[in-house]
Amino acid sequence: MAGSLRMKFIQLLVLTEDVQAVTDFLGKKQIIQLSTDDGADVPPQNVTGSFEYTQTTCKISGWVPAQEVEGLAEELDRITKGALAISVFEPEEVPGVKAGTVKVPVKFNHGKFIRSFDRMVLSFGAPHYDSVDPTRWVALFFTILFGLMFGDAGQGLVFVLLGILLTKNALKFLSNWSKFGPVFIALGCSSTIMGIITGEFFANATVLVPLSRFITGLFGEPHDHILHLMPSADNISVVFGFFLFTLAMGFVINTTGLILNFSDAIKNKELGRFLFGKTGLSGAVFFWYVVWMAIRIVLIKIPLFWLDWVVIGFSLFGVFMGHPLSRLVEGRRPIFVHGLFTAVIEGIVEILEVVSSYLSNTVSFLRVGAFGLAHAVLGFIISTMAELAGGLGGIGVMIIGNAIVIVLEGMIVAIQVIRLQYFEFFSKFFHKTGREFKPYCCEGVV
C-alpha cells in the first residue's frame, strides 16, 4: 500500500530468564505490536500475561514492519546471546488473517509534512491493509480548502508563526500539539496566499492595495484587489464566479475519490466494485456526464437529445443492478443472493442514493464559497468598527476582532474542511476500515 509499511508477523522463542530484557528492549524500541498467535490484539493491561510459557522458554508474538525485522533479529540475538529462535510469517500465513477474523495492522510511512496529517485520517479510521492511503490527498485538499475559506494574509502569518513555534516545541504548554506544527504552517501559507489575492491583512482591505495594484498591473490595468470578495453592485459576477470555482473544486475532489476507488478495486482484483455501483465506473459515468450535460446546456446551448438518455440509462442500470452484476463478473454464485425482488428493491435504493448523494456532495462545496464570503464580510465589519472607534479604541477593536476570528472562525473553518473530507471525499473509497498499528511501549517511554 503506497504510503504504508509492509508488515510481517513474528514469533520469538526466548529463555524465560531473558523475557524481561527482551520486553524492556521491545518496549523502548516501540517496534512491535504484541499479538496472540492468530494475530489478534492482546489486552494492554495484560501484555506479559498473554505470553505462552514452558518450564524454560517463552513465546512472544507480534506484528513488525517488514523493513525492521532483520535489525530487530540482530538486536535480540545480541541481547539473548544467541539463545533465541525467531519465525517470520507473511500476513496471509497468519491464522486469524487467513480466516478473515483479524485485520493486519497499518502503519503509515510518510515524510514529516504528510505525517502531520496522519491523525486526521486515523480519527476517521485506519485504511484497510493493502488498500488506498488517502493521507497525501487529505493534506493537499485540507490546505487548499482552508485557504479558500480563511483568506487573510496577516491572520495566515499568525498560523505560520504558531506552526513554527510548535515545530520547535517552543510552546511547552502546547507540547502535545507539536506534531501538528507543519499543519499550521501549511494552513497559514494557504491563508496568506488567499489573503494576498483578496487584499485582506488583519481584516484591513487597504494595506495590501499597493501590492495588489503592482501584481494586477503586470497583466493589464492595476486594481485595488486581485479578487474582491466583499459583495457590492460592482462585483456580483466576481462573487458568483468564486462560488462556481468552489463547485469545481468539489467536482475535482469527488472525482479524485472515485479514481482512488478505481485504483484500489483494480489492485485488489475486485472487478465488480470497479465497474458497478454508485462509486464504481457506472456511478462515476453518471456523475461526470450529468455535470458535462449541465455545462453544455448552459454554456454551449445544446439541449438534451437521445444520446444523453442512453448514457444516463446505461450508467444508472450499472448502479441499479450493481450487486448482482458484481457477483456475475467476479464468478460468485448465486447472482441474486436474496432473490430477484430484494435485488430490485436494493437497486431502487441505490438509484435514489446515487442521484441524491452526488448532488449533495457537489452542492456541499458551496459552503467553501459561503465561508470565504463570510470571512470577507466579517473582516469588513471589524475594520469599520475600528474606524468608528478611532484611536486606541480602534486598535483595541482590531486586536480583539482579529483574535476572535483567528481562534473561533479558524476552528469552525477547520471543522468544516474536515467534514468535507470525511463525508464527501472519503465516502467514495473508504468502504472498510482497518486496524492501526499500536506498538508495545514501556510505561514512561514517549
Side-chain angles (χ1 to χ4, degrees):
M1 180 172 81
S4 179
L5 295 174
R6 305 298 303 179
M7 303 301 294
K8 297 282 189 179
F9 188 76
I10 67 170
Q11 290 183 335
L12 307 173
L13 196 63
V14 301
L15 295 176
T16 304
E17 62 190 45
D18 292 329
V19 170
Q20 189 63 52
V22 169
T23 55
D24 286 348
F25 168 76
L26 294 175
K28 292 176 181 177
K29 191 75 171 178
Q30 298 184 53
I31 199 174
I32 185 172
Q33 178 169 328
L34 298 175
S35 303
T36 59
D37 278 352
D38 65 350
D41 287 333
V42 297
Q45 68 276 12
N46 189 33
V47 170
T48 56
S50 66
F51 298 160
E52 295 184 21
Y53 288 89
T54 66
Q55 287 184 339
T56 58
T57 60
C58 173
K59 184 167 70 172
I60 302 173
S61 303
W63 295 96
V64 177
Q67 65 188 38
E68 304 285 356
V69 171
E70 184 176 350
L72 177 63
E74 292 177 356
E75 286 292 325
L76 291 176
D77 187 68
R78 179 185 59 80
I79 291 171
T80 61
K81 298 179 180 179
L84 168 78
I86 179 170
S87 301
V88 183
F89 304 91
E90 294 293 336
E92 56 271 16
E93 297 176 311
V94 180
V97 176
K98 190 185 301 183
T101 58
V102 172
K103 297 176 180 178
V104 182
V106 173
K107 179 177 174 60
F108 288 141
N109 181 33
H110 299 136
K112 186 174 182 179
F113 172 66
I114 302 298
R115 186 167 64 244
S116 64
F117 288 86
D118 284 354
R119 186 46 51 186
M120 294 184 189
V121 176
L122 295 173
S123 295
F124 183 85
H128 196 270
Y129 185 74
D130 255 344
S131 68
V132 64
D133 170 20
T135 314
R136 289 179 173 83
W137 295 104
V138 168
L140 175 64
F141 293 144
F142 194 99
T143 302
I144 293 174
L145 291 175
F146 186 91
L148 291 174
M149 301 166 81
F150 196 88
D152 187 291
Q155 295 165 4
L157 290 175
V158 172
F159 279 110
V160 172
L161 177 60
L162 177 60
I164 293 173
L165 293 175
L166 288 174
T167 302
K168 301 296 183 180
N169 203 22
L171 303 174
K172 299 302 181 183
F173 65 99
L174 292 176
S175 59
N176 291 334
W177 284 64
S178 61
K179 58 181 175 293
F180 297 114
V183 174
F184 280 92
I185 293 174
L187 301 187
C189 289
S190 178
S191 179
T192 300
I193 293 171
M194 187 62 184
I196 292 173
I197 292 173
T198 58
E200 295 288 331
F201 187 84
F202 285 120
N204 187 297
T206 60
V207 173
L208 296 180
V209 167
L211 177 61
S212 298
R213 293 185 67 83
F214 171 75
I215 294 174
T216 54
L218 297 175
F219 304 94
E221 183 181 352
H223 296 283
D224 290 346
H225 302 89
I226 300 172
L227 176 67
H228 190 39
L229 281 184
M230 186 61 198
S232 67
D234 299 328
N235 73 332
I236 292 299
S237 60
V238 174
V239 174
F240 183 71
F242 181 67
F243 275 89
L244 287 179
F245 176 76
T246 62
L247 285 179
M249 279 294 302
F251 175 80
V252 170
I253 292 174
N254 283 321
T255 296
T256 302
L258 289 169
I259 293 174
L260 290 177
N261 183 58
F262 299 161
S263 174
D264 188 48
I266 292 172
K267 180 180 179 181
N268 289 282
K269 300 180 181 179
E270 298 178 24
L271 183 59
R273 176 155 71 95
F274 168 67
L275 291 175
F276 307 112
K278 64 180 181 181
T279 57
L281 189 60
S282 300
V285 168
F286 169 78
F287 172 54
W288 294 334
Y289 195 82
V290 168
V291 171
W292 153 246
M293 195 170 62
I295 294 174
R296 188 196 70 203
I297 292 173
V298 173
L299 298 182
I300 311 178
K301 309 299 182 183
I302 299 178
L304 291 169
F305 62 104
W306 65 269
L307 182 61
D308 297 332
W309 300 112
V310 171
V311 174
I312 291 174
F314 270 102
S315 61
L316 287 181
F317 180 77
V319 174
F320 177 73
M321 297 299 288
H323 293 161
L325 289 174
S326 293
R327 296 183 66 84
L328 177 65
V329 299
E330 292 175 0
R332 292 181 289 159
R333 299 295 184 271
I335 296 174
F336 299 101
V337 180
H338 303 292
L340 178 60
F341 179 75
T342 302
V344 171
I345 298 299
E346 289 178 349
I348 293 173
V349 172
E350 287 291 303
I351 291 289
L352 294 175
E353 189 172 347
V354 76
V355 173
S356 61
S357 65
Y358 277 123
L359 176 63
S360 64
N361 289 168
T362 303
V363 173
S364 185
F365 280 86
L366 285 174
R367 76 183 64 219
V368 177
F371 272 92
L373 185 63
H375 188 80
V377 172
L378 191 57
F380 175 78
I381 293 173
I382 293 173
S383 180
T384 302
M385 290 177 62
E387 289 180 9
L388 292 175
L392 292 176
I395 295 175
V397 169
M398 290 296 289
I399 294 174
I400 295 173
N402 276 279
I404 292 174
V405 168
I406 291 171
V407 176
L408 294 184
E409 192 186 358
M411 290 176 58
I412 294 171
V413 167
I415 291 171
Q416 290 300 321
V417 176
I418 291 173
R419 183 217 171 277
L420 289 172
Q421 299 271 3
Y422 285 177
F423 291 97
E424 273 61 60
F425 182 47
F426 281 11
S427 64
K428 302 298 181 298
F429 59 88
F430 224 127
H431 302 293
K432 51 186 177 180
T433 57
R435 171 184 170 202
E436 182 183 351
F437 179 79
K438 296 181 178 179
Y440 170 61
C441 175
C442 290
E443 292 185 10
V445 177
V446 180

